[in-house]
Amino acid sequence: NSGKGWAKEYQYKTLKNNEFFGALKIINLKVNDQTLQLIRISDITEKKLIEQKIIENELNLQTVLESYDSAIWMVNNQLQILAFNRSFARSVFKTTGKQLEKGKNLLEYYKDPAIIAKWENIYKTALAGESISEIQDFQNENLNLILEVKAYPIYRNHQIMG
């Protein structure tokens, strides 16, 4: 059992009643035929505060996305889904029969090469830094949609990230 251990995160209080987040790790070590336990508590308060801020930001983003009736979604430079609202999830499910998942390439949900080509062109334009607002006709044997498509580049630190 040498080297095997156990870890868990807890919220601790100091003797001065200050609170902090800590990672408790216990490792069993075998030294000269004796089993010893190495016990360490690392302060992970900053990590936990950052995690909480990320969760808060994601909830705020989702609240903004859900405040619109229009289908809204965000993809990164590789067209992986970053965020979407329920309206967009419903429309993708209605047209593809597939549930959306964050991190998946959006174009993988579609089979029709003509529809994929239209979306690739829209994304290519937005990822080049241009905003798009146009009427698009998406048709095949199972689909007949006319959509007003608006696509905007997403910038972070003056660089296009999606």
Side-chain angles (χ1 to χ4, degrees):
N1 280 354
S2 185
K4 291 189 177 183
W6 176 88
K8 184 125 174 133
E9 295 177 356
Y10 292 102
Q11 190 166 2
Y12 293 91
K13 273 193 178 174
T14 66
L15 294 175
K16 293 181 179 180
N17 229 17
N18 296 323
E19 292 184 355
F20 72 97
F21 289 98
L24 172 65
K25 186 164 189 170
I26 301 172
I27 300 173
N28 294 321
L29 299 172
K30 202 154 187 107
V31 178
N32 296 331
D33 293 329
Q34 280 189 310
T35 300
L36 305 173
Q37 286 189 325
L38 173 65
I39 301 171
R40 182 180 75 195
I41 298 174
S42 303
D43 186 346
I44 58 168
T45 303
E46 191 171 325
K47 173 187 163 215
K48 282 298 203 186
L49 293 174
I50 290 169
E51 286 174 357
Q52 288 173 350
K53 188 67 176 169
I54 289 169
I55 291 168
E56 182 181 308
N57 288 343
E58 286 178 353
L59 288 172
N60 288 339
L61 173 61
Q62 198 61 41
T63 300
V64 170
L65 293 176
E66 294 299 344
S67 69
Y68 293 92
D69 292 332
S70 301
I72 300 174
W73 66 100
M74 297 168 57
V75 294
N76 64 15
N77 289 330
Q78 290 76 45
L79 305 183
Q80 294 168 319
I81 303 165
L82 299 175
F84 55 90
N85 65 2
R86 278 180 268 178
S87 179
F88 182 64
R90 280 191 302 267
S91 71
V92 170
F93 185 77
K94 194 184 297 184
T95 57
T96 67
K98 298 177 185 175
Q99 296 286 340
L100 281 177
E101 289 180 48
K102 287 183 181 177
K104 284 196 146 191
N105 185 302
L106 189 55
L107 296 180
E108 291 176 9
Y109 287 84
Y110 298 94
K111 294 178 183 173
D112 186 315
I115 291 175
I116 292 170
K118 281 186 183 186
W119 282 114
E120 280 178 332
N121 189 46
I122 290 167
Y123 293 128
K124 182 179 174 184
T125 302
L127 291 170
E130 294 181 46
S131 296
I132 302 167
S133 181
E134 60 189 31
I135 303 297
Q136 285 282 339
D137 187 7
F138 295 93
Q139 292 185 8
N140 65 19
E141 65 277 353
N142 301 319
L143 184 64
N144 185 14
L145 284 177
I146 298 174
L147 301 174
E148 180 184 11
V149 175
K150 294 181 180 185
Y152 306 96
I154 301 170
Y155 290 92
R156 183 185 299 148
N157 299 326
H158 308 292
Q159 290 191 329
I160 297 171
M161 55 83 53

